[in-house]
Amino acid sequence: SLVALLRERGILTEDARVIAHATPDDVRGARVIGVLPLALAALAESITEIPLTLTPEMRGRELTLDELRACAGEATTYSVRVTE
């Protein structure tokens, strides 16, 4: 459903590659849309998320497109870098 929402909003194109479990090679230097651990996010050029305001009942299950429309915020893009 999230992929459908991203396409509906014009954030994701039809030919975009969708990866369930990304590796460092998948994200290195890429503009990523989704959720990544910080160590992987730091390898990406940027990461865009759709913040979700979930009720306790919505957690831990696949949401319908209508449910996502109701709880999804605006896309926010981050640049994550490792500091020493």
Side-chain angles (χ1 to χ4, degrees):
S1 297
L2 185 55
V3 171
L5 180 71
L6 292 171
R7 288 187 174 135
E8 183 177 276
R9 289 186 174 188
I11 297 168
L12 193 65
T13 61
E14 287 296 324
D15 63 338
R17 189 169 67 142
V18 177
I19 301 170
H21 300 285
T23 67
D25 288 336
D26 292 325
V27 302
R28 190 173 285 110
R31 292 181 182 157
V32 176
I33 302 168
V35 178
L36 288 177
L38 291 175
L40 282 181
L43 298 175
E45 179 180 323
S46 65
I47 179 163
T48 300
E49 73 155 346
I50 304 295
L52 302 176
T53 304
L54 300 176
T55 65
E57 299 77 34
M58 297 168 103
R59 296 183 185 276
R61 66 176 177 84
E62 184 71 25
L63 301 177
T64 67
L65 183 54
D66 284 337
E67 288 174 317
L68 281 174
R69 286 181 185 126
C71 72
E74 293 300 314
T76 306
T77 301
Y78 301 92
S79 243
V80 180
R81 300 291 171 249
V82 175
T83 61
E84 307 276 333

